[in-house]
């Protein structure tokens, strides 16, 4: 509501500011900018301080309300610890807003709730007044500023630039946030478990004591089997995705008629758009039993129902469109002159593709594959649903392995006690995951960029 | 070069042609096979899920004559709303079942008989009575949903030729159901429950409305936060940013963020929004915040591509007539790039809609029955609902899961189709 | 796609009147001069070329003989590049392009079903407007064709072919110490000569050149022209050029095209000193084009 | 400058949202084993009372405890489910964070079953057989107390009464609570039946545990994930294999798999409930007393959970596969719960 009023006021300020400037201009004043900019200027003065006030008020209002309400409560309640006080307040607020409560008949609480409501109403009223006054004052100030000396356009544009720059900083903030959120916890983990054990230990068994007297209650945090498992599944995925993706891209870019291309490309992209949880469901319920039946039919024994193969296959299929669309881009970026040169020498189309187009596009394709690898490593839902939890150190794709992402999910939602190293190791794994993908991504991006420059 | 040599060349080339053409054909076939295989897989996936999920859109109902006398219900005269809520509707249903099959005497058999009707049936009755308390004392003919096993029997998923030990639906139950079917007291209808209710532990009562609303609220937050910020960032980087180290860092950052595993964003959300700012767990607002950080790079990258595709000549033209740089961008470049930006946004949103992993970290894996109405209400989202259902022991949830997947895919395909359409429609060659 | 394969050449470029191209072409009359020679290596008879609905070449007749350079000149979009690309069926790569009429190599129809485009292109090499070496080493660039076709029996053979081709292309001395360097590291003129060497390495019988010097500076151009003159000893050469001076310098016969029609053809000297068609005269005197 | 502004804006936004949220809904976290039972109760509770349906997160027992013990207040959960009793360390960390009064509710049991496909022979084994078949190191079958790496390949090698099929057991990984319970209850139980090892217990508790709790790693025990549906499928496909999973899954899949007898008892409601079936674990939930009466509905939720209609022998929880407590215990604990008696850790 208040926001709406501010919006209306801002619009009015804009119109008034503009017309005022227009009048001045008509009267022969040499204004620096177009009237419209004076309108914007006034609008900014109207809205920004008011909104700022509103935000600050709204943010601090609960605290004031709380303190004021707490004062109405009996002393023994007031001296309760913070958490309990919050609960009481929650109850009071529930009463006040007419929500479902259990203590509605408690007169003391009722009184507090009334007090709370009164204060809240007063506060809202005051807030409205203050904000409106601020916005009107702002508007007046803005209107006064209209004149020859004000370079409205510069001001407005500078304000806009500030907003734009602020927005583009969010990406940096996100990265910083990620690093901070995983780094501290990881450091705490490495204080308890030496990094060398984490990085080179061959035994992963993070079940530190479900009960205190449990064996191996110290847990062992050798991350090698997890990373090996991740690599195994990713490798299987890439074995599926690279040939299929690349060949699809080649076919679409070089052979397919434009009609086929127009249909096949969006269809392939659907494959990329299917949520990973759907793939996970499909992998667990359809592909994994199929893989097991097939291999046991052929005479393999001990095919895990959650074989790395099943998860890897499905993940590979998920990544096909990723590889194909990136490769398609780089293949079509190879200049036609290259193809002409080769065809003109009497090469067949496939020879041209194999010997000229692909080598020329290779850096770009490698970049695409690296990005795909990083995606495979970070993929979560498919492996959570279809891969195992057993940290086997194996290269047999028919066995169950576990991955970094699976471990993060199970460690943070698992059944074991949630103390010390175990939660922390999830963050350490997250950090490793972030660093690994970061390195892959940066290499891939540099490679791709270099490649693009080559033909631009 | 003499004639002999030339002849040689021709001969040599001609001799190898057959082999080379075979290779050419093979290569081409590989390509075709690759793309066909990918598309076949897509088809297999969609068909499997449709075949599994389609039955879930139908629900079996059983017609019962239920007497709502106050004694069975255990309510007094003029019961208040709480009494009505707690009344023993199940008892009434059980009574009417026993009335239908008076021969059933043994306790075990009775239990089997009661299993024909869904546990949710009582809530249907409850709703009706609460809406109209005067029904108490009346005898009603009502259609109630059947239990999970009965439903799968009627769907033909239980093979009655198997020995009794090997199926969950026993001989006497089959006999009862067959008799009811003959009496036309069993009907298959469109499963409106699936779209009208929140989660439930009884597969026949479970619906996706709660998670659908959760998804919408979450997406709304995502869209409102990520779209303006992404467009602003793209404009700054593409049109204004000086080429220096700082902007280079931002750029590498964005490209990298686009490829950071989504679960890492979940860890970020857990550490920052929940632990540091103590925002509520399982809330759409937190989900939206995390997802918007995740989709931001996607939208930025496509928005930049769209801005870049606007030819410099247009900027020069506008600058030439004395527009400021900002005016050029907002009056000319941005409108021209808008279809491209929208396409990218839709694709980013589709990605966010299907995302599960980061939400697992911030408490959205929860059993939530009530449909969320505000941004801080506990909520779950469609993909997480799918994940949860996939893990439940009740057989009926397999088809429910597939049905929920169908709904999710329908949304995603529509979104992608719109994106493709937009892209085609506004594709411009400058 | 770059210029020379532009499927829709702007035929209407210099047309202000409302006449259709067909009408204008009809008004140009028959080809002036003698398109036929004795014992032609390649022969073009009554060839029409269409890009989709648009006709780009109208009933052209032309022969190319051994040991001569035929140059094709004319304003932009007159179809000379299109005709050149028909001679080794490079136009096959453009789906909407359709060719009718008869083109022969040693009397065999090159558009017949029995003719194989791969073999044809091995026999009729092509050099493009922009130098387009592959992003491989110089050696690999030249060895590419022989390897494809299996022309060498062993590594020594291949070395021979590479060195010979580079020598014939007059670039060997400049690159003999850096055969492992990338072909793209050379200067523009060197690249173009490398491309010529690459073509020669397949031991073709005819070499087609599509404005081979248009991207080069005068010094590099001079070198290439010198080279063309030397190559004439062994090959039949057809060259498309924008530069009339170049045509005059390197070719024995010249064909002038206008709007897809072969307007005049004859000895280079005659064409440049004594053009018989009005359009030819306008063009070579620089009044138009 | 803009960075500072942005940070401030973000903080303002977050604190506003955080401060303005009130809660009138019970928040439950914890074990995924209890989850299917708690959700049924919650759903019914939501339908039959005026309160909102509680929100139940499946965070695992440990994760639940951590959230639960983080403190008193609206942002912390009211109840945590657990498939084990609270640990001393957890109790203390709760205390340290002000969560001093905790009500412990033992709700029932979850049987852990060893099952195989209905197509194959139903097995009868003892816990000792289980230990001998699955432990990493067992006493030398040729005599002597020396421990050697497990040499058994067929069940018949372990116990001549068992059929001659390959030992192949599919079970959860070490991170799982089910695995832990299985190891403690089945294997350790079998371990004690072997005198030479039982003797060790008196002298060296640690090595006793190590012997009893270490599962063989030579492929006879196959670690699968925690998705029990998959284990059932695998059993269906491989009649020789046995699988370890919870009783509720057995109930739901009684058409596909059958349980093995352990120490002469088949897992049924009765045998688990009266303790004759040896491999079952208790299920708990814990309630913060401080939240009762403040967050609406907690007391009623407790009441609903502990009513005969839900946790009784004929209750709906039993339908979902939870094994009820015996009647006496139910009655007495329902009473103490109704009085909000808090637990102490002895």
């Amino acid at each position: 509501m208040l926001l709406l009023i501010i919006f209306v006021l801002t619009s009015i300020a804009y119109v008034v500011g503009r017309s005022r400037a227009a009048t001045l201009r008509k009267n022969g004043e040499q204004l620096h900018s177009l009237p419209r900019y004076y309108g914007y200027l006034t609008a900014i003065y109207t809205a920004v301080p008011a909104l700022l006030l509103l935000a600050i008020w709204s943010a601090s209002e609960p605290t004031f309300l709380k303190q004021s309400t707490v004062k109405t409560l009996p002393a023994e309640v007031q001296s309760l610890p913070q958490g309990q006080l919050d609960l009481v307040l929650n109850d009071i607020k529930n009463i006040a807003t007419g929500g479902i409560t259990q203590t509605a008949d408690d007169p003391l609480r009722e009184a507090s709730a009334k007090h709370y409501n009164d204060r809240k109403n007063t506060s809202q009223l005051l807030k409205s007044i203050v904000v409106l006054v601020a916005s009107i004052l702002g508007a007046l100030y803005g209107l006064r500023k209209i004149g020859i000396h004000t370079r409205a356009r510069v001001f407005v544009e500078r304000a806009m630039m500030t907003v734009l720059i602020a927005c583009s900083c969010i990406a940096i903030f996100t990265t910083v946030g990620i690093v901070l959120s995983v780094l501290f916890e990881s450091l705490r983990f490495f204080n308890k478990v030496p990094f060398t054990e984490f990085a080179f230990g061959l035994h992963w068994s993070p079940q530190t004591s479900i009960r205190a007297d449990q064996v191996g209650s110290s847990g062992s945090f050798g991350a090698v089997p997890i990373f090996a498992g991740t690599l195994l599944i990713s490798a299987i995925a890439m074995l599926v995705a690279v040939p299929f993706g690349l060949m699809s891209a080649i076919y679409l870019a070089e052979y397919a008629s434009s009609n086929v291309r127009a249909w096949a490309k969006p269809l392939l992209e659907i494959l990329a758009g299917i949520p990973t949880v759907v793939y996970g469901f499909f992998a667990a319920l359809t592909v994994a039993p199929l893989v097991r039946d097939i291999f046991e039919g052929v005479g393999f024994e001990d095919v895990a129902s959650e074989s790395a193969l099943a998860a890897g296959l499905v993940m590979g299929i998920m990544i096909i469109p990723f590889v194909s669309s990136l490769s398609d881009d780089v293949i079509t970026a190879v200049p036609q002159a290259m193809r002409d040169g080769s065809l003109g020498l009497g090469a067949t189309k496939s020879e041209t593709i194999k010997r000229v187009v692909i080598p020329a596009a290779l850096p770009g394709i490698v970049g695409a594959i690296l990005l795909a690898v990083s995606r495979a490593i970070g993929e979560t839902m498919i492996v959570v649903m279809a891969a195992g939890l057993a940290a086997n150190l194996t290269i047999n794709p028919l066995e169950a392995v576990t991955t970094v992402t699976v471990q993060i999910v199970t460690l943070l939602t698992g059944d074991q006690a949630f103390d010390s190293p175990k939660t922390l190791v999830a963050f350490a794994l997250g950090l490793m995951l972030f660093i690994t993908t970061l390195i892959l991504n940066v290499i891939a991006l540099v490679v791709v960029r270099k490649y693009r420059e080559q033909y631009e | 070069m003499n004639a002999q040599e030339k002849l040689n060349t021709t001969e040599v080339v001609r001799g190898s042609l057959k082999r080379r053409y075979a290779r050419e054909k093979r290569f081409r076939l590989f390509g075709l096979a690759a793309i066909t295989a990918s598309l076949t897989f897509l088809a297999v996936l969609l068909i499997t899920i449709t075949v599994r999920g389609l039955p879930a859109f139908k629900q079996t109902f059983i017609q019962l004559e239920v007497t709502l006398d106050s004694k069975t219900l255990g309510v007094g005269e003029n019961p208040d709303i709480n009494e009505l809520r707690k009344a023993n509707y199940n008892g009434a249903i059980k009574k009417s079942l026993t009335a239908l099959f008076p021969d059933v005497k043994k306790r075990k058999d009775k239990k089997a008989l009661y299993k024909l009707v869904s546990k949710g049936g009582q809530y249907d009755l409850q709703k009706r009575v609460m809406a109209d308390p005067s029904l108490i004392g009346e005898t009603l003919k009502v259609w109630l949903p059947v239990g999970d096993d009965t439903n799968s029997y009627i769907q033909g998923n239980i093979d009655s030729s198997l020995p009794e030990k090997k199926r969950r639906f026993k001989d006497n139950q089959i006999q009862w159901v067959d008799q009811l079917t003959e009496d036309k007291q069993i009907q298959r209808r469109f499963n409106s429950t699936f779209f009208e209710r929140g989660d439930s532990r009884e597969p026949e009562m479970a619906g996706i409305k709660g998670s659908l609303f959760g998804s919408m609220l979450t997406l709304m937050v995502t869209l409102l936060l990520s779209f303006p910020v992404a467009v602003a960032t793209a404009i700054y980087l593409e049109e204004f940013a000086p080429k220096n180290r700082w902007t280079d860092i931002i750029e590498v950052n964005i490209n990298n963020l686009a490829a950071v595993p989504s679960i890492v964003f979940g860890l970020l959300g857990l550490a920052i929004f929940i632990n540091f700012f103590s925002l509520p767990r399982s809330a759409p607002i937190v989900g939206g915040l995390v997802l918007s950080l995740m989709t931001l790079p996607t939208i930025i990258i496509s928005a930049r591509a769209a801005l870049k595709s606007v030819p410099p000549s247009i900027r020069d033209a506008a600058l030439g007539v004395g527009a400021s740089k900002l005016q050029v961008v907002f009056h000319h470049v941005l409108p021209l790039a808008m279809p491209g930006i929208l396409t990218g946004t839709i694709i980013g949103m589709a990605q966010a809609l299907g995302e599960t992993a980061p939400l697992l970290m911030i408490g959205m894996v929860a059993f939530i029955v009530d449909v969320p109405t505000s941004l801080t209400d506990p909520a779950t989202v469609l993909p997480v609902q799918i994940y949860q259902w996939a893990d439940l022991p009740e057989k009926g949830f397999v088809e429910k899961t597939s049905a929920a997947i169908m709904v999710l895919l329908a949304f995603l395909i529509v979104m992608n189709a719109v994106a493709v359409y937009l892209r085609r429609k506004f594709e411009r060659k400058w | 796609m770059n210029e020379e394969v532009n499927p829709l050449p702007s035929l209407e470029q210099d047309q202000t009147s409302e006449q259709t191209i067909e009408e204008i072409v009809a008004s140009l009359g028959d080809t002036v001069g003698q398109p036929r020679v004795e014992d032609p290596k390649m022969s073009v008879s009554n060839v029409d070329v269409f890009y989709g609905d648009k006709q780009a070449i109208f009933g052209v007749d032309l022969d190319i003989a051994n040991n001569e350079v035929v140059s094709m000149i004319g304003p932009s979009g007159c179809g000379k590049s299109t005709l050149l690309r028909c001679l080794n069926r490079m136009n096959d790569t453009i789906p909407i392009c359709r060719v009718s009429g008869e083109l022969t190599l040693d009397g065999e129809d090159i558009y017949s079903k029995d003719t194989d485009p791969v073999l044809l292109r091995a026999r009729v090499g092509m050099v493009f407007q922009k130098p387009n070496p592959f992003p491989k080493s110089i050696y690999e660039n030249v060895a590419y064709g022989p390897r494809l076709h299996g022309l060498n029996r062993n590594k020594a053979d291949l070395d021979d072919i590479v060195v010979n081709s580079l020598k014939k292309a007059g670039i060997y001395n400049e690159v003999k110490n850096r055969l492992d360097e990338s072909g793209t590291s050379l200067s523009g003129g060197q690249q173009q000569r490398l491309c010529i060497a690459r073509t020669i390495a397949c031991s073709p019988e005819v070499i087609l050149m599509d404005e081979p010097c248009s991207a080069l500076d005068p010094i590099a151009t001079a070198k290439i022209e010198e080279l063309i003159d030397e190559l004439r000893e062994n090959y039949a050469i057809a060259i498309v050029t924008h530069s009339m001076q170049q045509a005059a310098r390197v070719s024995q016969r010249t064909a002038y095209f206008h709007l897809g029609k072969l307007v005049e053809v004859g000895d280079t000297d005659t064409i440049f000193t004594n053009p018989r068609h009005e359009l030819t005269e306008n063009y070579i005197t620089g009044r138009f084009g | 400058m803009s960075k500072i502004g942005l940070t401030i804006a973000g903080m303002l936004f977050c604190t506003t949202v955080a401060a303005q949220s009130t809660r009138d809904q019970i928040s439950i976290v914890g074990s995924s084993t209890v989850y299917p039972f708690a959700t049924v109760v919650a759903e019914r509770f939501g339908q039959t009372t005026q309160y909102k349906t509680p929100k139940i997160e499946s965070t695992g027992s440990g994760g639940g405890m951590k959230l639960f013990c983080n403190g008193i207040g609206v942002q912390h959960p009211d109840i945590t489910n657990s498939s084990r009793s609270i640990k001393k360390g957890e109790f203390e960390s709760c205390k340290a964070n002000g969560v001093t009064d905790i009500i412990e509710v033992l709700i029932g049991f979850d049987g852990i079953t060893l099952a195989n496909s209905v197509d194959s022979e139903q097995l009868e084994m003892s816990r000792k057989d289980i230990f001998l078949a699955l432990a990493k190191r067992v006493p030398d079958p040729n005599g002597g107390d020396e421990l050697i790496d497990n040499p058994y390949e067929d069940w018949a090698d372990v116990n001549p009464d068992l059929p001659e099929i390959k030992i192949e057991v599919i079970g959860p990984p070490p991170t799982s609570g089910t695995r832990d319970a299985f190891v403690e209850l089945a294997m350790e139980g079998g371990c004690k039946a072997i005198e030479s090892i039982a003797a060790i217990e008196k002298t060296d508790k640690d090595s006793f545990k190590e012997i009893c709790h270490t599962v063989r790693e030579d492929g006879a025990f196959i670690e699968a994930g925690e998705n029990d549906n998959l284990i059932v499928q695998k059993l269906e496909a491989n009649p020789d294999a046995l699988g370890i999973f919870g009783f509720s899954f057995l109930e739901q899949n009684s058409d596909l798999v059958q349980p093995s007898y352990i120490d002469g008892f088949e897992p049924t409601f009765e045998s688990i409930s009266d303790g004759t079936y040896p491999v079952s674990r208790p299920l708990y939930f814990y309630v913060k007393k401080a939240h009762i009466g403040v967050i609406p509905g907690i007391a009623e939720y407790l009441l609903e959970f502990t009513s005969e209609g839900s946790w009784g022998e004929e209750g709906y929880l039993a339908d979902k596969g939870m094994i009820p407590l015996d009647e006496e215990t139910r009655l007495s604990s329902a009473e103490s719960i109704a009085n909000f008696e808090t637990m102490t850790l002895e």
Side-chain angles (χ1 to χ4, degrees), chain A residues 52 55-56 58-63 81-91 93-94 97 99-103 109 116 127 162 165-167 169-170 172-173 185 188 203-215 283-286 288-289 292-293 296 301-306 385-392 400 407 410-419 423, chain D residues 1-4 6-7 12 15-16 19-24 30-33 50-52 58-67 72-75 78 83-85 87 90 98 166 168 170 173-178 180-181 184 188 206 209-211 213-214 217 219 222-227 229-231 233-235 237-238 281 290-300:
Chain A
L52 217 63
I56 292 172
S58 301
S60 49
E61 187 179 37
T63 323
Q82 190 58 40
Q84 259 160 341
L85 205 58
D86 280 349
L87 283 170
V88 173
L89 276 168
N90 180 52
D91 192 36
K93 277 196 251 177
N94 275 336
T97 49
I100 313 157
T101 53
Q102 271 184 318
T103 48
R109 295 255 166 114
Y116 174 82
K127 178 165 76 178
T162 314
I165 292 175
C167 284
C169 285
I170 286 185
I172 301 276
F173 271 99
E185 308 267 311
R188 277 171 60 201
H203 193 59
W204 174 262
S205 164
Q207 95 272 36
T208 65
S209 55
I210 288 183
R211 292 172 318 280
D213 54 353
Q214 194 179 11
V215 180
L285 252 68
T286 310
R292 192 190 56 217
D293 291 349
E296 292 196 332
E301 284 181 6
D302 292 340
V303 181
S305 57
E306 301 174 308
M385 294 172 84
L389 283 170
N392 292 328
Q407 288 303 320
T410 27
L411 288 168
L412 289 178
T413 61
D415 258 344
Q416 328 116 52
F418 213 63
D419 53 351
T423 357
Chain D
M1 159 59 204
S2 65
K3 269 197 277 181
I4 300 167
L6 207 66
T7 322
L12 277 181
T15 44
T16 312
Q20 281 180 344
S21 56
T22 59
R23 187 147 73 81
D24 53 0
S31 164
S32 49
T33 319
Q50 77 269 37
Y51 303 106
K52 283 195 183 169
S58 170
T59 60
S61 301
M65 274 306 171
K66 165 138 193 200
L67 290 169
I72 301 264
V74 209
Q75 68 272 36
D78 313 313
S83 55
R84 54 178 170 81
S85 64
K87 273 175 45 188
E90 287 168 337
K166 210 175 143 223
E168 211 176 325
I170 307 162
T175 42
S176 149
T178 313
D180 180 57
E184 160 156 328
E188 193 180 322
D206 282 350
K209 292 259 176 200
E210 195 178 326
I211 294 163
H213 286 210
T214 314
E217 287 162 351
I222 302 156
E223 286 181 351
E226 282 200 286
N227 188 332
N229 282 326
L230 281 180
I231 299 187
Q233 274 188 16
K234 165 111 190 174
L235 295 182
N238 181 358
R281 60 172 155 168
H291 283 205
I292 295 176
V294 195
I295 302 292
I298 297 181
E300 286 78 1

Side-chain angles (χ1 to χ4, degrees), chain D residues 90-147:
Chain D
E90 287 168 337
F91 189 71
E92 267 151 19
S93 100
C94 261
K95 247 185 185 160
N97 289 325
V99 188
T100 44
D101 294 333
I102 301 172
I103 303 168
E104 181 184 60
V105 183
L106 172 65
I107 50 175
F109 296 98
D110 180 33
I112 295 173
T113 61
L114 204 56
N116 60 1
S117 162
V118 280
D119 293 332
S120 43
E121 198 182 331
Q122 194 165 15
L123 301 182
E124 286 186 42
M125 57 181 81
S126 66
R127 279 183 282 172
K128 184 177 164 189
D129 298 337
I130 296 176
F131 171 75
L132 290 178
L134 294 180
K136 187 169 186 191
R137 287 157 65 77
V138 293
D140 196 333
N142 303 323
D145 292 345
E146 195 91 344
L147 292 176

Side-chain angles (χ1 to χ4, degrees), chain C residues 33-69:
Chain C
Q34 183 42 260
R36 300 289 169 205
V37 296
E38 259 174 57
D39 186 22
K41 183 74 190 168
M42 295 193 82
S43 171
V44 175
S45 311
N46 196 22
V47 163
D48 293 333
V49 179
F50 300 85
Y51 289 112
D53 296 337
K54 284 214 169 117
Q55 191 167 2
I57 303 266
F58 296 84
V60 168
D61 294 324
L62 187 64
D63 281 356
I64 301 163
N66 271 325
N67 307 341
E68 74 158 358
V69 177

